[in-house]
Short mmCIF file of all heavy atoms in Angstrom, two decimals:
data_model
loop_
_atom_site.label_atom_id
_atom_site.label_comp_id
_atom_site.label_asym_id
_atom_site.label_seq_id
_atom_site.Cartn_x
_atom_site.Cartn_y
_atom_site.Cartn_z
N ALA A 108 -4.57 -103.01 151.85
CA ALA A 108 -3.79 -102.12 152.72
C ALA A 108 -4.14 -102.38 154.18
O ALA A 108 -3.27 -102.38 155.05
CB ALA A 108 -4.07 -100.67 152.36
N MET A 109 -5.41 -102.64 154.43
CA MET A 109 -5.84 -102.91 155.80
C MET A 109 -5.21 -104.21 156.32
O MET A 109 -4.75 -104.29 157.45
CB MET A 109 -7.36 -103.02 155.86
CG MET A 109 -7.90 -103.33 157.25
SD MET A 109 -9.68 -103.30 157.33
CE MET A 109 -10.10 -104.64 156.28
N GLN A 110 -5.18 -105.21 155.44
CA GLN A 110 -4.63 -106.49 155.85
C GLN A 110 -3.12 -106.40 156.05
O GLN A 110 -2.55 -107.12 156.86
CB GLN A 110 -4.95 -107.56 154.82
CG GLN A 110 -6.44 -107.73 154.60
CD GLN A 110 -6.81 -109.17 154.33
OE1 GLN A 110 -6.39 -110.06 155.06
NE2 GLN A 110 -7.56 -109.40 153.29
N ALA A 111 -2.48 -105.52 155.25
CA ALA A 111 -1.03 -105.41 155.32
C ALA A 111 -0.58 -104.55 156.50
O ALA A 111 0.54 -104.67 156.98
CB ALA A 111 -0.50 -104.82 154.02
N SER A 112 -1.48 -103.66 156.95
CA SER A 112 -1.11 -102.75 158.03
C SER A 112 -0.99 -103.52 159.34
O SER A 112 -1.38 -104.69 159.42
CB SER A 112 -2.16 -101.65 158.17
OG SER A 112 -3.36 -102.21 158.61
N GLY A 113 -0.48 -102.87 160.36
CA GLY A 113 -0.43 -103.50 161.67
C GLY A 113 -1.84 -103.66 162.17
O GLY A 113 -2.65 -104.33 161.56
N GLY A 114 -2.17 -103.02 163.23
CA GLY A 114 -3.55 -103.05 163.71
C GLY A 114 -4.39 -102.05 162.94
O GLY A 114 -3.87 -101.09 162.39
N ALA A 115 -5.67 -102.32 162.84
CA ALA A 115 -6.56 -101.39 162.13
C ALA A 115 -7.96 -101.48 162.71
O ALA A 115 -8.30 -102.42 163.43
CB ALA A 115 -6.58 -101.72 160.65
N ILE A 116 -8.74 -100.47 162.37
CA ILE A 116 -10.14 -100.44 162.80
C ILE A 116 -11.01 -100.53 161.56
O ILE A 116 -10.83 -99.74 160.63
CB ILE A 116 -10.45 -99.14 163.59
CG1 ILE A 116 -9.60 -99.11 164.86
CG2 ILE A 116 -11.93 -99.04 163.93
CD1 ILE A 116 -9.34 -97.74 165.40
N LEU A 117 -11.86 -101.51 161.53
CA LEU A 117 -12.78 -101.68 160.40
C LEU A 117 -14.12 -101.08 160.83
O LEU A 117 -14.76 -101.59 161.75
CB LEU A 117 -12.89 -103.17 160.09
CG LEU A 117 -13.64 -103.63 158.85
CD1 LEU A 117 -13.18 -105.03 158.46
CD2 LEU A 117 -15.13 -103.61 159.02
N LYS A 138 -5.19 -112.43 160.04
CA LYS A 138 -5.28 -111.50 161.17
C LYS A 138 -6.38 -111.90 162.15
O LYS A 138 -7.37 -112.51 161.77
CB LYS A 138 -5.61 -110.11 160.64
CG LYS A 138 -4.50 -109.53 159.81
CD LYS A 138 -4.30 -108.11 160.15
CE LYS A 138 -3.07 -107.59 159.46
NZ LYS A 138 -2.19 -106.92 160.38
N ALA A 182 -5.45 -105.41 171.42
CA ALA A 182 -5.71 -106.15 170.16
C ALA A 182 -5.12 -105.40 168.97
O ALA A 182 -4.49 -106.00 168.10
CB ALA A 182 -7.20 -106.36 169.98
N ILE A 183 -5.30 -104.08 168.94
CA ILE A 183 -4.77 -103.30 167.81
C ILE A 183 -3.25 -103.28 167.85
O ILE A 183 -2.59 -103.47 166.82
CB ILE A 183 -5.35 -101.85 167.84
CG1 ILE A 183 -6.83 -101.90 167.48
CG2 ILE A 183 -4.59 -100.94 166.88
CD1 ILE A 183 -7.53 -100.57 167.48
N ARG A 184 -2.69 -103.10 169.02
CA ARG A 184 -1.22 -103.06 169.12
C ARG A 184 -0.59 -104.39 168.76
O ARG A 184 0.56 -104.45 168.34
CB ARG A 184 -0.79 -102.60 170.51
CG ARG A 184 -1.01 -101.09 170.61
CD ARG A 184 -0.61 -100.51 171.90
NE ARG A 184 -0.86 -99.07 171.86
CZ ARG A 184 -1.22 -98.34 172.89
NH1 ARG A 184 -1.36 -98.91 174.07
NH2 ARG A 184 -1.42 -97.06 172.76
N GLU A 185 -1.35 -105.47 168.91
CA GLU A 185 -0.83 -106.80 168.53
C GLU A 185 -1.10 -107.10 167.06
O GLU A 185 -0.89 -108.22 166.59
CB GLU A 185 -1.48 -107.89 169.40
CG GLU A 185 -0.92 -107.91 170.82
CD GLU A 185 -1.78 -108.72 171.78
OE1 GLU A 185 -2.74 -109.38 171.32
OE2 GLU A 185 -1.51 -108.66 172.99
N GLY A 186 -1.61 -106.11 166.33
CA GLY A 186 -1.81 -106.28 164.88
C GLY A 186 -3.19 -106.78 164.51
O GLY A 186 -3.43 -107.13 163.34
N GLY A 187 -4.10 -106.84 165.44
CA GLY A 187 -5.46 -107.32 165.16
C GLY A 187 -6.33 -106.25 164.52
O GLY A 187 -5.93 -105.09 164.40
N ILE A 188 -7.49 -106.68 164.08
CA ILE A 188 -8.44 -105.75 163.47
C ILE A 188 -9.72 -105.72 164.30
O ILE A 188 -10.27 -106.77 164.65
CB ILE A 188 -8.72 -106.15 162.01
CG1 ILE A 188 -7.45 -105.90 161.19
CG2 ILE A 188 -9.90 -105.38 161.43
CD1 ILE A 188 -7.53 -106.32 159.77
N ILE A 189 -10.14 -104.51 164.62
CA ILE A 189 -11.36 -104.34 165.41
C ILE A 189 -12.47 -103.93 164.45
O ILE A 189 -12.34 -102.94 163.74
CB ILE A 189 -11.17 -103.22 166.46
CG1 ILE A 189 -9.89 -103.43 167.29
CG2 ILE A 189 -12.39 -103.09 167.35
CD1 ILE A 189 -9.89 -104.65 168.15
N THR A 225 -4.17 -95.07 169.23
CA THR A 225 -3.24 -96.09 168.72
C THR A 225 -2.55 -95.65 167.43
O THR A 225 -1.56 -96.25 167.03
CB THR A 225 -4.00 -97.41 168.40
OG1 THR A 225 -5.03 -97.12 167.45
CG2 THR A 225 -4.60 -98.01 169.65
N GLY A 226 -3.09 -94.64 166.77
CA GLY A 226 -2.53 -94.22 165.47
C GLY A 226 -2.98 -95.15 164.35
O GLY A 226 -2.53 -95.02 163.20
N ALA A 227 -3.84 -96.10 164.66
CA ALA A 227 -4.32 -97.05 163.63
C ALA A 227 -5.32 -96.36 162.71
O ALA A 227 -6.13 -95.55 163.16
CB ALA A 227 -4.98 -98.25 164.31
N PRO A 228 -5.28 -96.69 161.42
CA PRO A 228 -6.26 -96.08 160.51
C PRO A 228 -7.65 -96.70 160.66
O PRO A 228 -7.78 -97.85 161.09
CB PRO A 228 -5.69 -96.41 159.12
CG PRO A 228 -4.86 -97.63 159.33
CD PRO A 228 -4.36 -97.61 160.73
N ILE A 229 -8.66 -95.92 160.30
CA ILE A 229 -10.04 -96.43 160.28
C ILE A 229 -10.36 -96.78 158.83
O ILE A 229 -10.25 -95.92 157.95
CB ILE A 229 -11.03 -95.37 160.80
CG1 ILE A 229 -10.78 -95.10 162.28
CG2 ILE A 229 -12.47 -95.80 160.56
CD1 ILE A 229 -11.63 -93.96 162.84
N HIS A 230 -10.72 -98.03 158.58
CA HIS A 230 -11.05 -98.45 157.22
C HIS A 230 -12.57 -98.60 157.07
O HIS A 230 -13.15 -99.52 157.64
CB HIS A 230 -10.38 -99.79 156.90
CG HIS A 230 -8.90 -99.70 156.76
ND1 HIS A 230 -8.28 -99.49 155.55
CD2 HIS A 230 -7.92 -99.74 157.68
CE1 HIS A 230 -6.98 -99.42 155.74
NE2 HIS A 230 -6.73 -99.58 157.02
N ARG A 251 -7.79 -91.21 158.80
CA ARG A 251 -6.81 -91.10 159.90
C ARG A 251 -7.27 -90.02 160.88
O ARG A 251 -7.78 -88.99 160.46
CB ARG A 251 -5.43 -90.75 159.37
CG ARG A 251 -4.87 -91.87 158.47
CD ARG A 251 -3.37 -91.98 158.59
NE ARG A 251 -2.93 -93.19 157.88
CZ ARG A 251 -2.51 -94.29 158.48
NH1 ARG A 251 -2.48 -94.35 159.79
NH2 ARG A 251 -2.11 -95.34 157.77
#
Side-chain angles (χ1 to χ4, degrees):
Chain A
M109 178 174 65
Q110 301 215 49
S112 67
I116 297 155
L117 188 159
K138 294 222 172 231
I183 290 180
R184 284 181 179 147
E185 285 165 8
I188 291 176
I189 309 295
T225 58
I229 294 174
H230 290 268
R251 296 213 171 252

